[in-house]
Amino acid sequence: MDVKERIKELTEILTKYDYHYHVLDEPLVDDATYDSLLAELKKLEKENPGLVLAHSPTKRVGGKVLAGFKAVQHGTPMLSLGNAFNSSDLEDFAIRAKKKTSQPLTYVAELKIDGLAVTLTYENGMLVRGATRGDGQTGEDITENLKKIKSIPLKLTQPVNIEVRGEVYMPKLAFDKLNEQRKQEEKPQFANPRNAAAGTLRQLDTSIVAKRNLSIFFYSIANSDEFGSTHSENLSALKELGFRVNPNYKKLSSIEEVYAYCNDWQQKRENLPYEIDGVVIKIDSLSIQRELGYTAKSPRWAIAYKFPAQRSFSKLLDVTFTV
Ligand SMILES: CC(C)(C)c1nc(N2CCN(c3ncccn3)CC2)c2cc(C(N)=O)c(N)nc2n1
């Protein structure tokens, strides 16, 4: 096989291994096997720089220092969410929605990942741009940093044009290890995983992002009417395209079931390897979503059920001793 074919073969093999490890959380090979293939690819790419592929896994490590981040206008605005704090807020949400449509409502409940929202644009299945939410209209181009997050695909399974939204987060374990390391280096600690993730994505040195173990869950297709007729079909389409989707979403057929899901996860949240600050509830049918439309800043067909702030043990101690 000639060197061009070997580079292509190694790129595809390592991309598949990355997908299984970082998106499916189901590793196919041990680290030694992975590392020796990556070393071979790095060597061949160094000897043949003109043959490096755009989605090469070698782009995930190392990095460069950027001069700054460009402003990006979002093609589709990144909206905010109305909040619900109790069952009657959820009832009101359902009643308002029922007033606007005669069809029966099916909901999708998703864990609300406590990270920061980003938008990613793919052309012919290749990642071309990634940006922060910013004020919803204008964000910052952080493409180079997002390419270092191994659960963000550089190339999709189909050559589609799509814009997707997801929440970048730092797993609890990575957060604890980072703060431990910063304590050793006498650097200020991060208050919570969301701040740690936001601070990491603001780094101009992209090699820092590669070392910080950020991850992402995708939750929306921005140009959505081209894919499915329901939100849950869009989540399946995202998975088929190679995007990491949180597995705990559920289709529910009454607001009572939604409230039960919220209570269930309010109890179970500390067992999760990442922080959540609530549940996002969406009406499943895209045609009903279109009927309901938007207020000035958020959809009428979705709402965020917020959990009460979780008291960490150290905060609990403070409260106890100062009382
Ligand atoms: C597509 C819609 C608008 C319905 C939507 N919007 C979301 N968000 C908007 C508000 N966002 C926001 N961020 C900062 C300031 C104000 N709003 C942060 C993302 C969602 C966030 C999550 C999540 N975190 O897990 C999720 N599973 N689904 C979402 N769905």
Side-chain angles (χ1 to χ4, degrees), residues 17 40-41 52 75 98 116 123 141 148 159 179 186 290 308:
Y17 290 165
E40 184 190 347
L41 179 57
V52 179
K98 282 178 185 144
L116 62 153
E123 286 168 4
D141 184 325
K148 304 296 181 189
N179 264 351
E186 292 175 4
R290 278 190 284 275

Side-chain angles (χ1 to χ4, degrees), residues 57-77:
T58 59
K59 293 181 182 290
R60 300 292 196 177
V61 290
K64 56 191 173 196
V65 181
L66 305 174
F69 300 118
K70 288 198 311 281
V72 177
Q73 287 296 332
H74 298 313
T76 311

Side-chain angles (χ1 to χ4, degrees), residues 106-117:
T106 301
Y107 306 94
V108 175
E110 303 169 6
L111 299 186
K112 187 169 183 297
I113 311 302
D114 192 3
L116 62 153

Side-chain angles (χ1 to χ4, degrees), residues 79-135:
L79 301 165
S80 54
L81 282 167
N83 288 332
F85 296 96
N86 50 50
S87 62
S88 65
D89 291 345
L90 289 176
E91 296 279 337
D92 294 348
F93 166 68
I95 290 164
R96 282 197 303 271
K98 282 178 185 144
K99 273 194 189 126
K100 296 234 171 187
T101 177
S102 52
Q103 302 178 56
L105 295 180
T106 301
Y107 306 94
V108 175
E110 303 169 6
L111 299 186
K112 187 169 183 297
I113 311 302
D114 192 3
L116 62 153
V118 295
T119 185
L120 293 157
T121 302
Y122 291 78
E123 286 168 4
N124 300 319
M126 299 301 286
L127 177 59
V128 293
R129 188 175 47 258
T132 61
R133 179 183 180 281
D135 62 7

